[in-house]
């Protein structure tokens, strides 16, 4: 496939295509037209065609899209054809909830370790994974081929912890701490702020109430 720069907006839409196609595949659907996909996903058919054209199309005139093929291709683009080992830093409410969420494994994200500074948590297990002290993290990252760290710690220590992780080989950070991390070029950071989604919901709720008046 031809390599070219793909906008983050398109990349941002791929996981949703991937999910819908996965559901279609599970339901035994073998092919789908962009029109049908458009109705299902409530996005325009031209948006779908434009998005897929970034990767050379995938469709065939008069046939539509082969669901299994498209699902695989989008999975490959998203890097889901490989497994990624990940660790969770911060075994509090959020860290444990993420650790307990089994479904990441189906996407190839393997939960390998969990670390915390609180001695009361050491040795406790989250889905069979023991919580370890932070002084074990450097060796663990190196020995277990860990490439992703999930940061669920307070913002006061996140920058410093991220630096240690990156120096020891972490290549990507899924950052839940409410602070911008200062990482070298080439290290991937995805910031997650659940409240952003809630604020969007609040905006739409407000707008809808205004429209009803
Ligand atoms: P929590 O207080 O239950 O857990 C935080 C854990 O981090 C504690 O177990 C603590 O001992 C540990 N910790 C603190 N400093 C550490 C360090 N330097 N290294 C390793 N472990 C350390 O808090 P909760 O509710 O799990 O939230 C965690 C963080 O995530 C908070 O900063 C919170 O603001 C943030 N958060 C972000 C959300 C988002 O959407 N981005 C949503 C919810 C929480």
């Amino acid at each position: 496939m031809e390599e070219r720069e793909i906008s983050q907006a398109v990349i941002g839409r791929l996981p949703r295509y991937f999910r819908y196609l996965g559901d279609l595949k599970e339901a035994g659907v073998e092919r789908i037209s962009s029109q049908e996909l458009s109705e299902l996903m409530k996005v325009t058919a031209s948006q779908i065609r434009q998005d897929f054209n970034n990767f050379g199309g995938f469709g065939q005139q008069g046939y539509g899209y082969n669901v299994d093929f498209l699902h695989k291709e989008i999975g490959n683009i998203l890097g889901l054809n490989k497994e990624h080992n990940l660790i969770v830093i911060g075994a509090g409410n959020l860290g444990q909830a993420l650790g307990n969420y089994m479904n990441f494994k189906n996407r190839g994200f393997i939960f390998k370790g969990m670390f915390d500074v609180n001695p009361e948590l050491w040795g406790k297990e989250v889905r069979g994974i023991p919580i370890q002290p932070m002084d074990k993290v450097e060796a663990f990252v190196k020995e277990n081929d860990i490439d992703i760290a999930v940061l669920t710690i307070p913002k006061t220590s996140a920058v410093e912890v991220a630096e240690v992780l990156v120096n020891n080989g972490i290549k990507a950070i899924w950052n839940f701490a409410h602070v911008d991390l200062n990482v070298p070029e080439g290290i991937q950071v995805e910031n997650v702020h659940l409240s952003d989604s809630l604020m969007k919901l609040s905006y739409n709720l407000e707008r809808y109430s205004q429209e009803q008046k």
Side-chain angles (χ1 to χ4, degrees):
M1 197 184 301
E2 192 192 332
E3 286 279 328
R4 59 170 143 157
E5 191 71 31
I6 295 157
S7 80
Q8 286 296 315
V10 176
I11 303 291
R13 287 193 286 272
L14 291 185
R16 187 157 180 260
Y17 289 125
F18 185 78
R19 254 188 302 121
Y20 270 82
L21 290 161
D23 289 348
L24 287 166
K25 205 171 111 173
E26 250 180 62
V29 177
E30 285 176 13
R31 67 162 124 156
I32 190 161
S33 66
S34 48
Q35 192 55 44
E36 287 167 320
L37 195 56
S38 140
E39 280 160 24
L40 190 68
M41 295 185 63
K42 306 210 171 15
V43 279
T44 64
S46 87
Q47 167 92 80
I48 292 175
R49 281 192 295 267
Q50 263 179 41
D51 283 350
F52 293 171
N53 277 342
N54 280 286
F55 314 104
F58 301 138
Q60 279 171 38
Q61 201 75 37
Y63 175 88
Y65 300 106
N66 176 311
V67 170
D68 184 42
F69 176 76
L70 189 53
H71 183 251
K72 269 205 199 86
E73 285 295 310
I74 293 181
N76 291 346
I77 292 161
L78 289 171
L80 304 177
N81 50 338
K82 299 180 205 109
E83 289 198 334
H84 297 284
N85 291 332
L86 63 82
I87 53 170
V88 177
I89 310 290
N93 293 310
L94 186 58
Q96 294 204 25
L98 291 171
N100 271 311
Y101 184 57
M102 296 279 280
N103 210 17
F104 294 137
K105 197 173 172 195
N106 302 337
R107 302 272 185 263
F109 299 101
I110 316 295
F111 171 39
K112 287 275 186 174
M114 184 166 242
F115 297 84
D116 202 289
V117 283
N118 181 355
E120 284 173 25
L121 294 172
W122 299 344
K124 285 190 181 163
E125 290 190 358
V126 175
R127 208 154 42 82
I129 301 288
I131 300 170
Q132 301 185 62
M134 281 301 283
D135 60 10
K136 300 264 190 247
V137 77
E138 298 185 19
F140 190 91
V141 166
K142 288 185 187 138
E143 284 159 18
N144 292 278
D145 194 22
I146 306 294
D147 38 27
I148 302 178
V150 183
L151 278 196
T152 47
I153 53 177
K155 63 178 176 185
T156 43
S157 50
V159 173
E160 190 189 322
V161 169
E163 200 180 309
V164 171
L165 294 169
V166 167
N167 287 342
N168 285 281
I170 287 290
K171 299 183 195 77
I173 299 179
W174 201 24
N175 178 33
F176 286 82
H178 297 294
V179 63
D180 289 332
L181 304 176
N182 185 16
V183 294
E185 214 181 300
I187 303 298
Q188 309 306 317
V189 177
E190 184 64 30
N191 297 306
V192 185
H193 301 292
L194 297 180
S195 51
D196 287 5
S197 172
L198 199 54
M199 285 189 258
K200 209 166 125 197
L201 183 68
S202 152
Y203 169 80
N204 287 328
L205 179 67
E206 192 59 29
R207 201 183 55 171
Y208 183 76
S209 323
Q210 293 296 332
E211 278 169 11
Q212 297 308 301
K213 280 183 189 159

